[in-house]
Structures are given as C-alpha cells and as structure tokens.
Amino acid sequence: NWLQEYQKTKCEWAELELLLHQDSLKIQSKYATDLQKLNDTIGKLKLPYEQKITAIKVNEVENQENYLKLYHKATDIQSQKYGHVSTPAYEKQIAYYERKREEKTTINSIQIENLMRKEINVIANFESQKNEIQQKISNELQPILEKTKPR
C-alpha cells in the first residue's frame, strides 16, 4: 500500500536526518575549542588597533569641529566689520584654516590606513589557521551531506 510505503520512507528520512545532524554536531564540536581559542586570540589582537582607530576618528571629529568654530568666528568678525564683502585678509585666513584642517585629516587617514594594515598583518596567521579548521569541518561534512543527495 502506498500510504505505508510513504510512512516508512518518511520515517527512514527522519532517522537519516537525525543521524546526519548528530554526525554534523560531532564534527563541529571536535573543532569548536580550537575555533573559539582562535577567535578569542584574534579579538584580543584586534582590540588595541580598534581602540587606536576609534581615538583617531574622535580626533578627526574634533578637528572638523575646531575648523568650524574658527571658520564661524572669522566669518562673524568679517561680517561685523565689512558685511558680506570678502577681503583678502579674510580669504587668506579661511584658506589657512582649511589647509590646517586638510593636513590633519590627511594625517588621520594615513594613520588609520597604517593601523588597519598592521592589524591585518598581525591577525593574518590566525585567520589562516581559522580558515584551515573551517575547511577541515567542510571536508568532513561533505560525505555526510552526500548521503542526502537524491540518486
């Protein structure tokens, strides 16, 4: 009878899924400790770089705010004395403020890029080890997943 055959197939499939799930968990748990240690190490190594990068970004925000304060102050003084007429002294002062802001922005950008490169170099070996473990897991899971493919 087709209904009994269907129930039998469904039951066998459920058992197979359970076995596949259990095998998958065994394989993953075999490497879980090593992966966790690598992730912890990578996190610890990344932390000082991320803190330095955050500090530089804060410095950049302060740089922009300082520029705006100086710009507005110079513009207010200019407006009080000359209205909306721009003078060479005012233009020179604003150009000086912009140049200083751009210099600091460039320095901050270079520092961030250098820190990011250093961070990548420091963690590259650990990331490589992590990828190797993930590849091992994938390789060991492959035969298990093959069991579920239709024939």
Side-chain angles (χ1 to χ4, degrees), residues 90-102:
Y90 169 75
E91 293 292 329
K92 186 177 178 181
Q93 188 176 26
I94 295 301
Y96 172 78
Y97 293 152
E98 288 175 351
R99 194 170 51 253
K100 287 297 182 188
R101 178 194 65 185
E102 289 170 9

Side-chain angles (χ1 to χ4, degrees), residues 8-93:
K8 179 183 173 193
T9 303
K10 189 174 178 180
C11 184
E12 288 172 354
W13 180 254
E15 288 174 3
L16 179 63
E17 279 187 320
L18 179 63
L19 290 173
L20 292 174
H21 182 72
Q22 289 172 344
D23 288 347
S24 174
L25 287 176
K26 284 178 190 174
I27 291 169
Q28 291 178 8
S29 65
K30 180 166 62 171
Y31 296 104
T33 304
D34 292 338
L35 276 176
Q36 187 60 47
K37 285 179 184 176
L38 284 171
N39 284 330
D40 291 346
T41 301
I42 290 169
K44 288 176 186 174
L45 291 172
K46 286 177 111 178
L47 185 63
Y49 292 100
E50 291 171 358
Q51 289 173 336
K52 289 175 185 175
I53 289 170
T54 300
I56 293 169
K57 288 179 179 178
V58 167
N59 183 311
E60 181 57 27
V61 169
E62 291 170 354
N63 176 39
Q64 298 296 334
E65 290 173 351
N66 187 42
Y67 163 76
L68 290 174
K69 285 179 190 174
L70 293 171
Y71 176 84
H72 289 298
K73 183 178 177 182
T75 302
D76 289 346
I77 292 170
Q78 174 69 15
S79 294
Q80 286 174 358
K81 282 186 177 181
Y82 302 102
H84 294 291
V85 178
S86 185
T87 63
Y90 169 75
E91 293 292 329
K92 186 177 178 181
Q93 188 176 26

